[in-house]
Amino acid sequence: MAEADAATSAAPVSGLDPFSDEYILDSYPQHAQLRDAGPVVLLEKYQVYATGRYAQVRAVLEDAATYCSGAGVGIDNYHKVPPWRPPSMVLETDPPEHTRNRAVISRTLSPAALRALRAGFEEEAAMMVDSLLARDSFDAVKDMGEAFPLKVFANAIGIPKEGRHHLVAYGNMVFNGMGPHNKLYDQAMANPDEVSGWVWEACQRRNLTPDGLGIRIFDAVDSGILTDEEGARLVRSFLSAGTDTTAAAIVNALYCFATNPGQWQALRERPDLARAAFEEILRFESPFQTFFRTTTRDAELAGVRIPAGEKVMLSLGAANRDPRQWSDPDRFDITRTTTGHVGFGGGIHGCVGQMMARLELEVILRAMAARVSTIEITGEPRRMLHNTLRGMEYLPVRLRA
Ligand code: OVV
């Protein structure tokens, strides 16, 4: 926040490209290079600032007045490049609009509302795990990661059953769309009208079930806080943020336990660790790897100058493994203290759906812990090439009772 002065220095320039195949396929050594290049660096290729260090990521998250979201949280500055869709009313806004809109979403995700969903989620998780146990092997990406939120979360919101696969394509647009206009961006945006059109229809009041969470957003329309269009756009946030992120988290959970069988046995012995295990999964394999803020004024971060109007990339994935913050960060340990991880972001924009995500993952991990003795990868997994999310494209798995 301080004006640039003699005590500050220009950011070191880095040749890293966090959106390249090379970086995505081998992220952890690359994250280390990003952190070690300095507390804040200038990414030469994109001319944006970036930090992968925990302390600086946290400092930016906690200072929304200096590092705003209203210019978009992808690499594009919406004041210069028009957004590819009408901006999100929570993700891509600043106070006071953000505060008002977030409160509307927050109310629908109350502890009581989530408690009411638990029994149904447990039943679905048990059915899913039983049916997967009956198969020789399956693709954890399609058959678990995508299948669970497409059924359970989409039912909870109350959207139509037909065409839900569009949600996965839409999440790909939203999250690849936060990156540069590279081949991943172009692939994700291949069929924009059909996908966006389906999602927008699903957000309309007339298409939402009377007992779901989505329709509750329209209470704020009835009380005059939002217009109809704004109500639909807030429902769109559920659908944008709640499918691909959770799908990646489920797949990353399977991957973590399959590759750390001792940790799986630890969870089986103590299923009450399910919630703690999920936090460690988010720290260790963060689904939401990267997003951006934009400086509202000349800023200074760890002694480095960042001029006003610049994009700053936050690498949550790198911060969650920063050895300056975590001891033995590259060890997956479901008994460690994960307090303060930034897998859900933080500050005023910290994930508003995090209790929903925790509920989904907890019921899956508990259903598995009660039934599954071993998790085995049966073929060559393929990592997902993606500008923002960390997950798998294909993960063949066998579960044994
Ligand atoms: C957290 C998040 C990710 C993607 C989209 C949105 C939110 C949204 O509000 O549309």
Side-chain angles (χ1 to χ4, degrees), residues 85 88 90-91 174-175 178 236-237 240-241 288:
R85 61 171 192 162
S88 162
V90 276
L91 180 74
V174 168
F175 288 99
M178 293 177 189
R236 195 191 68 179
S237 282
S240 304
F288 204 150

Side-chain angles (χ1 to χ4, degrees), residues 331-347:
R331 191 161 55 90
F332 177 65
D333 174 5
I334 64 172
T335 65
R336 82 157 70 222
T337 303
T338 55
T339 312
H341 78 72
V342 287
F344 284 126

